[in-house]
Amino acid sequence: MNRRKFIQNTALTGAGIATGVAAMSCKEVPEEKDIAVSTTKSISKSSYISISTWDTSSANNASGELLAQGKPALDAIIAGVAVEEANEENTTVGIGATPDREGNVTLDACVMSPDGDYGAVLAVENIVHVAALARKVMEETPHVIMASKGAEEFAYTQGFKKQKLLTPASEKAWKEWLKTSNYQPAINVENHDTIGMLAMDSSGDIAGVCTTSGLGYKMKGRVGDSPIIGSGLFIDNEVGAAVATGMGEEVLKTVGSFLVVELMRNGMSPQKACEEAIHRIVKKGDRYKDFQVAYIAMNKTGETGSYAIHKGFNMMKYQNENAEVIISDYYNK
Ligand code: GLY
């Protein structure tokens, strides 16, 4: 399935009906009637839940299935996003991702654990599974962020394989782009499909991860929100978790994921908190018309929410062996 399309649960109504993944079908643009404003199902202590950004059902189901086996949230999310990092057809993460203007594929990722620990890698080349590498930074070093060559060299000491990330398809697309070098990222296409995933395991512990190649045809050295704690991702195991996707510059300037979690701490539902974080961006002026940002969030009682600036964003949800797609509500109607 092309990532520019959006999968839709054909039976989705109201707050979303859970069905098997096999029942999902491709559709270019979601219908208004299919928009789920929020989900409010509370979960028991022995329940579990995994949510992820965009059309990432295989990744989210992989996470959900591990949670169903009683695995910790941190293990589930790292294994989950690895599915998309290895998917050459996904042009926004891992192998096959869109390069920078000079043809270098550089990846960013971060992870947060239930105990509030954090690890991140920035601008890493030649390593596919950068989310797992971010976890290694968190668990095996005295640091929290490693960048570029240093992160890559650390990866080899941890047994990661060197792999060329620019595939024949992504190289061909880059060479085509070079003919005009026109840099105007299209909403929901180049700007863009970061995978963020949040999970709560059957012990009630929450972990999260974010992995991306950043903006397609970005300037060499550009880093977005995804590997930056509080912007691309934030977990507070007492409260809940949030993760962002879209134009990273705007998420960074509003410290968006931390904001969502703090709003939940102050009593907002995940849905309302995502909406407020988007409002903080759009109220700055009309520029939001040219870019997409979206958040997904969950709290400790298993409520989830999602909200975007523009139409076309969706969230995957896996809970108690049911997979569903939540087509997100949005600001710019
Ligand atoms: N949200 C991903 C990025 O802007 O790099």
Side-chain angles (χ1 to χ4, degrees):
M1 184 178 293
N2 189 319
R3 283 180 50 76
R4 296 180 184 193
K5 296 181 179 172
F6 303 99
I7 62 172
Q8 182 178 26
N9 176 338
T10 49
L12 196 67
T13 58
I17 295 173
T19 67
V21 175
M24 294 176 180
S25 64
C26 279
K27 192 166 180 189
E28 276 287 348
V29 179
E31 310 261 332
E32 294 285 324
K33 68 180 171 53
D34 295 321
I35 289 171
V37 172
S38 66
T39 58
T40 53
K41 212 184 301 178
S42 290
I43 62 173
S44 68
K45 201 72 175 132
S46 61
S47 187
Y48 56 84
I49 179 167
S50 183
I51 57 176
S52 62
T53 55
W54 299 105
D55 173 11
T56 52
S57 58
S58 302
N60 199 49
N61 296 343
S63 167
E65 282 158 18
L66 288 171
L67 295 172
Q69 293 164 24
K71 299 280 193 259
L74 186 58
D75 291 348
I77 53 169
I78 297 292
V81 296
V83 171
E84 285 299 330
E85 288 173 331
N87 175 6
E88 289 193 19
E89 288 180 15
N90 184 332
T91 59
T92 62
V93 293
I95 191 163
T98 303
D100 66 19
R101 294 169 192 196
E102 297 176 28
N104 311 299
V105 180
T106 60
L107 304 179
D108 306 326
C110 81
V111 63
M112 276 194 86
S113 68
D115 59 8
D117 219 351
Y118 158 73
V121 290
L122 325 181
V124 178
E125 295 182 59
N126 303 312
I127 303 292
V128 175
H129 293 299
V130 283
L133 181 58
R135 182 179 183 174
K136 288 285 185 191
V137 171
M138 179 173 80
E139 293 179 341
E140 307 295 337
T141 80
H143 308 304
V144 293
I145 302 178
M146 294 185 74
S148 193
K149 287 285 168 226
E152 188 181 334
E153 282 162 23
F154 170 65
Y156 300 135
T157 70
Q158 299 297 309
F160 286 75
K161 263 194 330 197
K162 181 168 187 164
Q163 245 176 299
K164 188 174 176 191
L165 302 179
L166 194 68
T167 57
S170 55
E171 185 167 10
K172 186 167 171 227
W174 167 60
K175 287 189 170 152
E176 199 52 39
W177 177 82
L178 278 180
K179 288 180 186 163
T180 57
S181 300
N182 182 25
Y183 187 68
Q184 275 190 316
I187 286 172
N188 293 337
V189 182
E190 284 91 11
N191 122 2
H192 94 64
D193 300 358
T194 301
I195 297 182
M197 188 177 288
L198 308 172
M200 177 153 52
D201 60 31
S202 51
S203 305
D205 286 327
I206 301 178
V209 65
C210 197
T211 179
T212 187
S213 56
L215 294 178
Y217 311 126
K218 62 194 174 187
M219 291 173 71
K220 184 176 182 182
R222 181 265 186 193
V223 172
D225 61 309
S226 299
I228 306 301
I229 189 170
S231 287
L233 174 71
F234 196 71
I235 311 292
D236 184 324
N237 201 31
E238 287 180 357
V239 176
V243 68
T245 179
M247 185 61 84
E249 283 73 4
E250 304 303 322
V251 178
L252 281 162
K253 286 186 269 184
T254 48
V255 199
S257 293
F258 181 74
L259 174 62
V260 172
V261 174
E262 281 304 290
L263 291 168
M264 292 193 292
R265 181 192 297 283
N266 290 323
M268 271 192 199
S269 67
Q271 180 62 34
K272 287 281 172 228
C274 290
E275 290 174 17
E276 175 58 23
I278 290 294
H279 290 152
R280 296 277 174 106
I281 295 173
V282 301
K283 75 181 186 190
K284 288 177 167 180
D286 276 356
R287 284 189 319 109
Y288 72 84
K289 291 183 178 157
D290 297 328
F291 58 77
Q292 176 68 298
V293 171
Y295 293 100
I296 66 172
M298 70 166 67
N299 67 15
K300 282 293 269 189
T301 61
E303 291 179 310
T304 61
S306 67
Y307 199 66
I309 297 178
H310 300 283
K311 189 172 184 170
F313 175 67
N314 49 320
M315 173 176 84
M316 298 296 133
K317 181 170 175 182
Y318 190 106
Q319 185 170 17
N320 298 339
E321 299 187 358
N322 289 315
E324 59 184 320
V325 54
I326 309 290
I327 296 171
S328 185
D329 198 6
Y330 55 96
Y331 175 80
N332 191 25
K333 296 205 169 107

